Amino acid sequence: MADHPLDPALIRRAAAMLATSERVAVLTGAGVSAESGVPTFRASDGLWEGHRIEDVATPQGYAKNPLLVWQFYNARRANVATVTPNPAHFALAVLEAHFGDRFTVITQNVDGLHQQAGAKNVLEVHGSLRRTRCPNCGDVADRGLETLSDKPECLKCGRAVRPDIVWFGETLPPDIWQKAQEAAEECDTLIVVGTSAVVYPAAGLIGVVKRRSQWGAKLAGDVIEVNLEPTDASAHADVGLYAPAGVVLPLVVEKFKELVADAK
Ligand code: BJW
Ligand code: ZN
C-alpha cells in the first residue's frame, strides 16, 4: 500500500525534506504526549469528559467556580508529575540538537514534556500547568508540580491566583505568539504532530506555511503531519504519517541522520 503510514518511502521523503531544510518548526498538540500517559482533549476518554469546556477552560467558568477549576488543574498537575517524555519528545530534541536555534517547537501543550526531554527552544502558546498568574498584581510564578491547594494564593500579594493557561476567548501571550508566527513564516519544513488542528489561532500556523508565497516572502514550506488519523490539517500536508508519534518520529529522525551522514 503506497500510503501506508510506515511505508519506508514516506519516512524517507519526510527525512529528506528535513535534511534539505535550513529552518524547521514543529507544531505539537496533546497527541505527542499521549504515549506518556497524558490524556488528549477530544478523544472519547479525553479530558473534557465529565466537565463542560465552558466550566473549566474559560475565564467565565473560573469566575463562576474557581474551586472546580483548580480541582481540574490540580488533577492534571498531579498526572503530569507522574509521567515522563516518550520517544516522540526525545526524537524532536535530537533534531533540535542538529539544527540548534534554527529549530523551534511551538507547543499547544501545557505539560512541559518537550523541555523535560531536553528541548530548549520551546514556545508554549497555551501557557503552562506549572505556572500560576495573579490577576491582582500580575505576578507569574513557576510553582513546578508541587501540590497546590484548591485556592492557591499569590506568593507576592496573597490574593487568589489562577493557572497560567490560555483559556477559550483569551488572547495568546503576545511575545510568544509573535515568535511562533515568525517560526512558521521562516521555516522550510513544519512538522505537525498530534493535534486535531481545530483550535485557533495555533492551527492557523499550518496555513501560514503553505500560503506565504507573496512577493518578498519565502515560498511555501513543506508540511509533514504525524497523527493517528487524518485531521483538519491533512489538506495542507505534503507527507502524512498516520501512526503513533512515538513510533514515527524516531524512524524519521534515524533516516534523517543517515541522509545527513551520506551527504558529508
Ligand atoms: C496522536 C496520538 C499519538 C492521539 N500519536 N497523534 C477562528 C475560527 C474559529 C474559532 C476561533 C478562531 N479564532 C479563535 C477562535 C476561538 C477559539 C477556537 O479556536 N475555537 C475552536 C475550538 C472553534 N480560540 C480561542 O479562543 C483562542 N484565543 C483567541 O483566539 O484569542 C483571540 C480572541 C479573543 C477573544 C475573542 C475572540 C478571539 C484561545 C484558545 C485556547 C485553547 N486552550 C485549550 C485549553 C487550555 C486549557 C488546558 O490545556 O487546560 O488548549 S483548548 C485545548 O485544545 C487545549 C489544547 O492545547 C488545544 C488543542 O488541542 P489538541 O492539542 O489538538 O488536542 P486534541 O485532543 O484536539 O487532538 C489530539 C490529536 O492527537 C488527535 O488528532 C489524535 O488523533 C492525535 N493523537 N494519540 C500521534 N500517539
Ligand atoms: Zn499577586
Side-chain angles (χ1 to χ4, degrees):
M1 203 163 72
D3 64 349
H4 186 280
L6 298 181
D7 179 345
L10 280 186
I11 297 283
R12 189 189 162 85
R13 218 177 131 208
M17 283 171 176
L18 294 168
T20 52
S21 289
E22 181 69 23
R23 287 179 183 277
V24 173
V26 187
L27 173 66
T28 66
V32 79
S33 297
E35 289 156 77
S36 294
V38 182
T40 61
F41 291 92
R42 291 170 184 83
S44 57
D45 62 345
L47 268 174
W48 307 117
E49 213 163 80
H51 289 289
R52 297 187 326 145
I53 292 183
E54 50 272 40
D55 289 342
V56 291
T58 63
Q60 295 80 4
Y62 177 72
K64 206 167 115 193
N65 193 345
L67 215 66
L68 173 78
V69 172
W70 266 113
Q71 281 163 356
F72 174 72
Y73 281 97
N74 278 335
R76 291 181 54 196
R77 286 164 54 83
N79 170 249
V80 167
T82 66
V83 306
T84 51
N86 68 60
H89 298 104
F90 287 116
L92 292 173
V94 168
L95 271 187
E96 179 179 331
H98 174 88
F99 284 97
D101 59 8
R102 296 176 288 120
F103 188 93
T104 308
V105 174
I106 304 160
T107 189
Q108 300 169 84
N109 299 344
V110 294
D111 56 31
L113 290 179
H114 286 297
Q115 295 92 324
Q116 225 173 298
K120 303 263 179 298
N121 199 8
V122 182
L123 301 173
E124 294 178 316
V125 294
H126 288 167
S128 170
L129 274 178
R130 291 160 203 254
R131 293 190 302 264
T132 58
R133 192 185 337 143
C134 177
N136 181 51
C137 75
D139 186 57
V140 173
D142 187 345
R143 310 287 283 261
L145 294 171
E146 74 183 79
T147 308
L148 293 175
S149 80
D150 290 344
K151 203 172 176 264
E153 287 165 0
C154 177
L155 302 172
K156 290 255 166 73
C157 75
R159 301 276 286 271
V161 286
R162 56 166 281 177
D164 189 27
I165 298 273
V166 181
W167 286 322
F168 281 111
E170 296 186 315
T171 50
L172 278 53
D175 46 338
I176 291 173
W177 179 241
Q178 174 70 31
K179 286 184 188 157
Q181 282 179 296
E182 283 166 14
E185 276 157 19
E186 288 166 9
C187 70
D188 302 295
T189 300
L190 175 73
I191 315 176
V192 181
V193 189
T195 177
S196 55
V198 296
V199 173
Y200 283 81
L205 293 174
I206 305 159
V208 167
V209 176
K210 299 316 283 183
R211 277 195 303 268
R212 59 177 193 204
S213 48
Q214 304 97 310
W215 201 85
K218 266 196 170 190
L219 291 179
D222 288 321
V223 172
I224 300 168
E225 179 174 52
V226 180
N227 201 301
L228 294 182
E229 57 192 22
T231 67
D232 281 21
S234 304
H236 289 303
D238 299 284
V239 175
L241 298 164
Y242 299 110
V247 174
V248 172
L249 286 173
L251 289 173
V252 171
V253 171
E254 271 317 300
K255 186 46 97 180
F256 166 82
K257 287 202 267 186
E258 265 175 54
L259 294 178
V260 170
D262 288 352
K264 277 188 180 152

